[in-house]
């Protein structure tokens, strides 16, 4: 008769309920660990994507500025080569800037409205000077200021690993 009493004692609610509660707690802890690990993984992927887009933005703006370097050299093809190359890099940079803002928020905006307006005005100044056959000295001054502003943005808004820092 002893074995039957032992089985009945093990199935006693005072013994069974704490065991069930412990199992449920263990399962919840395991699930929380799994979800926390997944959330951390998603956060890391999110940061890697932001850094990748930010690096492409850096490259486009850097090449925009470097394309301008030869503008004052004698015989430089400003209209046929330098400005179209700059415009191409600028277009890519604005698209990447818009994409990063849409995905990660305003604090990651690099090219604000004032900077964009100034660059567009500088391009228009070149276009107007070429169309009218005038000197491009005013346009060169405007674009030089814009390029310096972009270079300043690159040094202040990026870290040493070319990761875009929030404003």
């Amino acid at each position: 008769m002893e074995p039957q009493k032992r089985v009945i004692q093990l199935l006693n609610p005072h013994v069974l309920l704490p065991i069930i509660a412990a199992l449920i707690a263990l399962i919840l802890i395991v699930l929380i660990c799994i979800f926390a690990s997944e959330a951390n993984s998603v956060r890391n992927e999110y940061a890697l994507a932001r850094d990748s887009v930010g690096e492409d933005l850096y490259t486009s703006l850097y090449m925009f500025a470097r394309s301008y370097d030869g503008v004052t050299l004698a015989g430089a093809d400003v209209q046929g080569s330098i400005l179209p190359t700059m415009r191409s890099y600028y277009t890519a940079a604005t698209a990447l800037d818009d994409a990063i803002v849409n995905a990660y928020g305003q604090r990651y905006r690099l090219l604000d409205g004032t900077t964009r307006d100034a660059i567009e005005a500088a391009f228009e100044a070149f276009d107007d000077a070429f169309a009218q056959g005038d000197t491009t000295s005013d346009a060169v001054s405007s674009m030089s200021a814009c390029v310096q502003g972009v270079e300043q943005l690159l040094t202040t808004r990026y870290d040493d690993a070319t990761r875009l820092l929030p404003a």
Side-chain angles (χ1 to χ4, degrees):
M1 200 96 171
E2 183 74 31
Q4 287 179 342
K5 283 184 179 181
R6 201 169 269 245
V7 171
I8 291 173
Q9 286 176 352
L10 290 177
L11 295 178
N12 186 342
H14 296 294
V15 174
L16 195 56
L17 287 177
I19 291 173
I20 292 172
L23 284 174
I24 290 173
L26 180 64
I27 290 170
L28 288 174
I29 289 170
V30 169
L31 287 174
I32 289 171
C33 290
I34 290 170
F35 289 132
S37 173
E38 287 296 319
N40 191 38
S41 176
V42 168
R43 251 191 320 273
N44 288 340
E45 288 179 28
Y46 188 73
L48 286 173
R50 183 189 63 232
D51 291 343
S52 177
V53 174
E55 189 174 328
D56 289 344
L57 176 57
Y58 178 92
T59 300
S60 292
L61 288 173
Y62 179 82
M63 292 307 296
F64 166 80
R66 294 297 62 84
S67 299
Y68 184 70
D69 287 345
V71 78
T72 58
L73 297 176
D77 186 9
V78 176
Q79 186 176 12
S81 178
I82 293 175
L83 288 178
T85 301
M86 287 180 69
R87 196 177 300 268
S88 175
Y89 285 120
Y90 175 69
T91 301
T94 56
L96 289 166
D97 192 48
D98 290 343
I100 207 163
V101 168
N102 287 335
Y104 303 101
Q106 286 294 326
R107 61 191 205 134
Y108 285 97
R109 178 172 297 286
L110 193 64
L111 300 171
D112 62 11
T114 304
T115 303
R116 288 180 183 212
D117 291 345
I119 292 172
E120 290 293 335
F123 277 128
E124 287 177 23
F126 273 108
D127 292 343
D128 292 345
F130 292 137
Q132 297 171 5
D134 289 341
T135 179
T136 59
S137 60
D138 289 341
V140 168
S141 277
S142 296
M143 189 61 82
S144 294
C146 292
V147 168
Q148 287 174 350
V150 166
E151 289 172 337
Q152 183 66 30
L153 280 173
L154 294 179
T155 59
T156 58
R157 291 289 307 279
Y158 281 88
D159 65 9
D160 293 336
T162 64
R163 287 185 301 245
L164 179 60
L165 304 171

